Amino acid sequence: MSAFFEKPAKHKKYELILVRGAPGVGKTTLAKRLRAHFPKGITIEVDSFKDMVNLLDWKDTTRYHHILEAVAMTCRSFLDKGYAPVIVVDTLSAETLEDFIAMLQKSLNEPSCLVITMVCDPEVLEQRIKGRKNGFSSIEPSLAINEDMRKYRVFDEFLVDTTASSPDEVLALVLARI
């Protein structure tokens, strides 16, 4: 395992926090709540980078790769300027996460990193997706991503099941880990 993912010593802060999971598991809600605890940090929603691309074709993995490269360079820029932690929010499948980590390792000097993988019970996730007013609303892809997150563990991730937890309880779990 790379030093990139070694657990930091007690009370050592993480420079990067990657929040991943299917749409509807609570990634954005967690990131918004973490902001109050890290006033010197930055939150990057990869979706905002995707929105910058004209006519994004979701099947074009090359463009998505370019977007992740831009996010990695942005992470480096903010860390170089003293902003920490940089919280990155995206689905980040296991394969995509490996690619993104490789990009980060090229552009950053071994920062401490925590990967938070969020999952949810499929029935609860379906209800959350159906209740959405904005954002990704396709149930089948969300359920498939959620199942992959449950099956395929990566690196030294911190797995958080949001099924029966309120946003405040999820925040407390994450803050206790950090």
Side-chain angles (χ1 to χ4, degrees), residues 32-93:
K32 286 178 181 175
R33 289 170 183 267
L34 283 172
R35 288 178 184 196
H37 295 273
F38 300 105
K40 295 182 180 182
I42 294 290
T43 301
I44 299 172
E45 289 265 359
V46 175
D47 283 350
S48 62
F49 279 69
K50 291 175 191 171
D51 289 343
M52 291 182 223
V53 177
N54 297 337
L55 303 173
L56 180 63
D57 177 0
W58 288 100
K59 294 175 188 168
D60 183 352
T61 57
T62 302
R63 281 192 176 197
Y64 183 54
H65 185 84
H66 294 159
I67 290 165
L68 290 178
E69 286 177 335
V71 171
M73 289 187 296
T74 302
C75 289
R76 181 189 65 213
S77 178
F78 280 121
L79 287 170
D80 286 349
K81 290 172 179 48
Y83 293 90
V86 174
I87 302 167
V88 178
V89 181
D90 193 38
T91 302
L92 292 172
S93 67

Side-chain angles (χ1 to χ4, degrees), residues 52-159:
M52 291 182 223
V53 177
N54 297 337
L55 303 173
L56 180 63
D57 177 0
W58 288 100
K59 294 175 188 168
D60 183 352
T61 57
T62 302
R63 281 192 176 197
Y64 183 54
H65 185 84
H66 294 159
I67 290 165
L68 290 178
E69 286 177 335
V71 171
M73 289 187 296
T74 302
C75 289
R76 181 189 65 213
S77 178
F78 280 121
L79 287 170
D80 286 349
K81 290 172 179 48
Y83 293 90
V86 174
I87 302 167
V88 178
V89 181
D90 193 38
T91 302
L92 292 172
S93 67
E95 180 180 311
T96 304
L97 180 63
E98 284 185 40
D99 291 344
F100 186 59
I101 295 303
M103 291 173 207
L104 288 168
Q105 287 177 323
K106 278 188 213 173
S107 64
L108 298 170
N109 187 19
E110 296 288 335
S112 56
C113 181
L114 173 65
V115 176
I116 300 169
T117 300
M118 300 176 75
V119 296
C120 185
D121 175 80
E123 290 177 11
V124 172
L125 182 59
E126 187 171 339
Q127 291 305 311
R128 289 180 185 175
I129 295 292
K130 285 179 180 176
R132 281 185 153 192
K133 293 180 178 125
N134 299 315
F136 192 84
S137 60
S138 296
I139 294 169
E140 291 307 316
S142 295
L143 292 173
I145 293 166
N146 188 58
E147 182 62 23
D148 282 349
M149 296 288 169
R150 286 181 175 278
K151 276 187 195 174
Y152 305 109
R153 304 296 303 275
V154 295
F155 306 110
D156 183 31
E157 71 186 343
F158 177 52
L159 185 68

